[in-house]
Amino acid sequence: MSELEAKVLPEATVARLTQYLRALNALESRGLERTSSGVLAKEAGVNPAILRKDLSWLGSYGTRGVGYVVRELSEHINNTLGLNRDWRVLILGAGNLGRALSGYAGFTTRGFKVRAILDVSPELVGTEVGNLRVEPRNDLAAVVRREEINIAVLAVPGDAAQDLVYELGELDVNSVLSFAPKPLVVPRGMNLRRVDLSTELQILAYLAVQP
């Protein structure tokens, strides 16, 4: 393991690295081969000093007076975030949210391949969602093995989500994104990220009424 691989980056830095990667991709699409910390920071919407501090975690990839090589820095951030691996995604829940997530183009462009979608509803099982067919929730273990799933997305109610978290842990799927509207008990070794849309809307409501 390299010195960089042994480091655990601050969560806020990891979040901003995704912003820098998106900004670098935008710069490359405009034909730019090099960029400065000022330009990259503006494109990513952060302070240049914060950007330089974040990138210092990755080693020395900029040259004073010259800046950063866009593709080189982009590839290095990709490697740091683990985006050079094959990420095979399973969506649990084929309701409106699950169907919307399965068709999200951002997954594919960032290296995440949605391989299957499952649901408990007899009315939904067997229906088409994009290029996928909804499969029965009871086939979870078989689907995980068949598709070599390593990331799961939970688009199900809270009670169902907790049961699924335990089952996914037993199947060694230890990276989970949850849209369930409640905190979940997470097995040892599992990384779970929670997206609570109602909380985000409540924060927006609060900010909107401030003088």
Side-chain angles (χ1 to χ4, degrees):
M1 179 178 291
S2 70
E3 182 180 351
L4 175 60
E5 291 170 331
K7 292 179 181 178
V8 177
L9 302 184
E11 188 171 319
T13 295
V14 173
R16 287 191 294 268
L17 286 179
T18 66
Q19 297 173 241
Y20 305 151
L21 185 58
R22 183 166 54 246
L24 288 164
N25 290 339
L27 293 174
E28 187 172 8
S29 71
R30 298 204 293 268
L32 296 179
E33 296 182 358
R34 291 184 177 273
T35 187
S36 66
S37 59
V39 171
L40 181 55
K42 183 177 180 180
E43 188 77 24
V46 302
N47 183 285
I50 292 176
L51 179 140
R52 288 191 292 270
K53 183 177 180 180
D54 288 338
L55 295 184
S56 70
W57 283 91
L58 311 185
S60 179
Y61 278 82
T63 303
R64 183 178 296 276
V66 177
Y68 303 99
V69 178
V70 170
R71 177 163 293 186
E72 179 182 293
L73 182 56
S74 177
E75 290 176 353
H76 191 59
I77 293 176
N78 264 304
N79 292 338
T80 300
L81 294 175
L83 300 180
N84 55 335
R85 292 183 54 188
D86 184 18
W87 294 108
R88 303 167 73 86
V89 180
L90 165 66
I91 295 178
L92 292 151
N96 291 335
L97 177 58
R99 287 172 177 262
L101 291 170
S102 70
Y104 175 52
F107 285 154
T108 302
T109 58
R110 290 168 176 80
F112 299 92
K113 301 173 184 176
V114 179
R115 303 296 302 181
I117 181 168
L118 275 60
D119 203 278
V120 297
S121 171
E123 290 77 20
L124 294 176
V125 171
T127 60
E128 301 289 338
V129 179
N131 62 346
L132 299 173
R133 183 181 295 274
V134 179
E135 300 182 64
R137 181 257 183 268
N138 288 342
D139 290 352
L140 174 60
V143 170
V144 166
R145 289 192 296 268
R146 184 191 75 212
E147 300 295 341
E148 300 179 346
I149 298 297
N150 47 27
I151 292 182
V153 177
L154 304 181
V156 298
D159 292 339
Q162 185 61 73
D163 291 339
L164 285 167
V165 163
Y166 289 136
E167 192 169 346
L168 289 165
E170 292 173 356
L171 295 169
D172 293 326
V173 179
N174 292 318
S175 296
V176 177
L177 176 65
S178 174
F179 287 86
K182 63 179 290 186
L184 301 172
V185 178
V186 179
R188 183 184 298 274
M190 176 177 285
N191 295 308
L192 184 143
R193 300 287 300 179
R194 183 175 172 226
V195 179
D196 190 332
L197 298 178
S198 63
T199 295
E200 296 303 323
L201 289 173
Q202 289 167 348
I203 292 171
L204 284 174
Y206 166 76
L207 295 173
V209 299
Q210 298 310 299

